Amino acid sequence: PVNVKQKYDMMLENKEIFTVVTADALWKDVLSKRGNVRLAFSGNGVDYHHFHDEIDERYPLEDSFTNILKMGQPIVGYYGALAKWFDYDLLKKIDQENKYQVVLFGIKYDDSYDKSGADQWKNVHFCGSRPYEILQNYAARMDVLTIPFLINDITKATSPVKLFEYMALNKPIVTTDMDECRKYESVLIGHDHKEFLEQLDKAILLKTDETYKALLDKEALENTWEEKARTILEQLKKY
């Protein structure tokens, strides 16, 4: 959006502005244009309590969602924007595997989902958006949580908030080869479509692995918003 770009440009021109960047690509860009002045790095984070402790096992889920659960196949989930940076070709390959039901929660940010033809695929279900206050009750019912994004300039500079929410949910995570996702041991990376599908199979086996779940929890707790605030303040102390 133009207003965001204008703020970014203003920040680059004014070294008095305190700046926090959330991805290595942004860090390098800001560093090259205004130097390491009033600059802090912090990836995004999670409201750990909300996604770990506020799951209501008795929450009344809609029939449309429970009917997908009743199909008996593992649920591969995603929530967030459906936009041009979403890898619909990968989504189609997951559908064609016939091993998983794919559930998508969120908004259609542009017309990319409709153009993809995904609404015609039998194992893919777009369920619309859910309020943040109850989102965890749906995500907790899924088996594997994913971020199937294309690799481009946008996603290379993205620290996905949902990544840390997935960790707090203690659900196996599979993503494409995004720079900011690669930093975490708990994240299974699919460098191409074939490997992504293989990682889904591996993730299903890990969903009951207590050692892996402990790793997810550890990385979630290292990335709470409280920890992020502490890190940012520490970096800015010299000012």
Side-chain angles (χ1 to χ4, degrees), residues 90 93-94 97 100 173-177 182 187-203:
L90 173 56
K93 288 180 181 177
I94 299 172
E97 288 276 287
Y100 307 108
I173 304 166
V174 181
T175 78
T176 49
D177 189 23
R182 213 184 298 133
V187 180
L188 305 179
I189 300 288
H191 294 86
D192 53 32
H193 289 180
K194 180 176 180 291
E195 187 178 15
F196 193 98
L197 295 173
E198 291 169 353
Q199 295 288 37
L200 286 180
D201 294 342
K202 182 179 177 181

Side-chain angles (χ1 to χ4, degrees), residues 59-119:
Y59 183 81
L61 302 164
E62 300 93 333
D63 289 345
S64 57
F65 183 65
T66 55
N67 288 340
I68 300 169
L69 299 179
K70 287 175 184 175
M71 291 179 181
Q73 288 183 304
I75 305 292
V76 171
Y78 167 85
Y79 60 76
L82 292 164
K84 62 183 179 181
W85 53 80
F86 198 94
D87 192 340
Y88 294 103
D89 289 338
L90 173 56
L91 188 65
K92 188 172 186 177
K93 288 180 181 177
I94 299 172
D95 171 71
Q96 292 170 340
E97 288 276 287
N98 271 323
K99 292 195 283 190
Y100 307 108
Q101 295 301 315
V102 181
V103 174
L104 309 171
F105 284 109
I107 59 166
K108 296 177 183 177
Y109 189 78
D110 52 31
D111 61 358
S112 60
Y113 179 84
D114 295 327
K115 283 183 175 178
S116 73
D119 58 343

Side-chain angles (χ1 to χ4, degrees), residues 8 11-12 15 17 19-21 23-40:
Y8 191 82
M11 171 273 297
L12 290 176
K15 294 183 180 182
I17 297 174
T19 302
V20 180
V21 291
D24 285 340
L26 297 172
W27 173 268
K28 290 171 185 173
D29 187 52
V30 175
L31 210 55
S32 69
K33 292 172 181 172
R34 59 168 252 179
N36 190 4
V37 181
R38 293 180 175 80
L39 180 63

Side-chain angles (χ1 to χ4, degrees), residues 2 42 72 78 102 111 132 138 165 204:
V2 172
S42 171
Y78 167 85
V102 181
D111 61 358
Y132 176 86
Y138 293 87
E165 295 170 351
I204 292 296

